[in-house]
Amino acid sequence: MTSVAAGRAGRVNEDFTGAVPTAAVLIDGAGIPGSESICRHGVAWHASRLGGSLLSLLSLVRDRSLSELLAEAIERVTDDHRDTCDVADPISPSAAVAILRLSDGLIEYLVLGDSVLVLDRADDAPLVVSDPREVIISRSYQPALEAAAAGSEEYQRLLRDLRANRNRPDGFWVAKDDPRAAEEAITGSCPISELAGAVLLSNGASRIVDRFQLAGWPEVMTVLATSGPAEIIHRVRQAEARHAVAADDATIAHCTDLGEA
């Protein structure tokens, strides 16, 4: 079950989610307003193209790691617009990635960037898989970004400085133009028999826990099971309105009946 909500009405959603019988993918696209001169296709195109490539590879290729498949998908998408766009520019489109795959009695997972993946363990607390590097680096920029007028030249400069930390040692890693970023992803596996379900969330949806602290992950899993992902996004939107926080694209893919896939 999925729920997808754009950050603002009339604005294209830059998240992507999709599934095949043995895998699920969530892509959270990122870009800076005004980057159209760098990439004529845009963030939403990049996210959907990357997600589609991953789903195709996950369907057809069973004997390669998730990191290897992500590296190939990054290379494919980069090649798709290398001749028309400045793919290496720091402000060209990028994305956070979360992947689940069923394989020989295991759930394999991968997280790159600030998306979140949660495994709902039947007899234990949820296992939360996240990549904190971008969040840690972003915190040092947050006061200045909040003080600058949104969309101003200073705001854009700060965003450029922040994103110059992408895909470099001591920085943070995202899916952009360099396939080697996939080697930096957080990966692992868990026996399917131990799980009641799993969920993939863009950072606009994980705000319910990590920004607004409206619930812990056990409660989130309970709400998903009883009311579905739309309720989680509804609560996030209410919190954004209360705190005067700009709404972000929010996407949730809730995976159940894992043993039947």
Side-chain angles (χ1 to χ4, degrees), residues 56-214:
S56 175
L57 289 166
L58 287 160
S59 296
L60 299 173
V61 182
R62 305 294 178 88
D63 59 349
R64 296 170 65 193
S65 71
L66 296 182
S67 295
E68 290 172 324
L69 296 183
L70 175 57
E72 181 167 338
I74 291 172
E75 187 165 18
R76 286 184 179 186
V77 175
T78 302
D79 287 345
D80 283 345
H81 68 143
R82 189 187 302 277
D83 294 336
T84 58
C85 308
D86 187 355
V87 297
D89 190 285
I91 68 169
S92 66
S94 65
V97 180
I99 308 171
L100 277 180
R101 178 172 66 179
L102 307 181
S103 178
D104 297 326
L106 295 174
I107 279 279
E108 299 175 308
Y109 57 80
L110 177 150
V111 171
L112 181 69
D114 59 4
S115 292
V116 178
L117 188 152
V118 185
L119 301 180
D120 189 10
R121 295 184 289 191
D123 298 319
D124 205 345
L127 174 62
V128 182
V129 183
S130 63
D131 179 354
R133 289 169 289 190
E134 181 173 359
V135 172
I136 291 169
I137 291 174
S138 296
R139 283 187 189 130
S140 64
Y141 288 84
Q142 203 60 39
L145 283 168
E146 291 176 354
S152 67
E153 184 175 330
E154 175 64 7
Y155 188 88
Q156 301 303 329
R157 184 191 68 78
L158 289 165
L159 281 180
R160 285 182 170 86
D161 287 350
L162 169 60
R163 286 176 174 156
N165 290 283
R166 293 185 303 186
N167 293 0
R168 55 186 290 182
D170 301 321
F172 59 91
W173 301 85
V174 293
K176 191 174 173 289
D177 60 299
D178 187 351
R180 292 173 295 182
E183 299 170 8
E184 301 291 334
I186 309 300
T187 60
S189 64
C190 180
I192 295 173
S193 60
E194 297 179 4
L195 302 178
V199 62
L200 298 79
L201 307 96
S202 67
N203 71 335
S206 68
R207 285 178 167 188
I208 191 169
V209 174
D210 52 39
R211 180 160 189 172
F212 297 122
Q213 300 178 351
L214 298 176

Side-chain angles (χ1 to χ4, degrees), residues 118 199 201 208-209 215-225 228 232 252:
V118 185
V199 62
L201 307 96
I208 191 169
V209 174
W217 287 113
E219 182 182 346
V220 168
M221 302 311 293
T222 298
V223 172
L224 287 170
I232 298 295
I252 299 175

Side-chain angles (χ1 to χ4, degrees), residues 27 41-51 77 81 93-95 175-176:
I27 308 294
H41 300 95
V43 175
W45 176 91
H46 182 266
S48 62
R49 200 79 163 198
L50 181 64
V77 175
H81 68 143
S94 65
K176 191 174 173 289

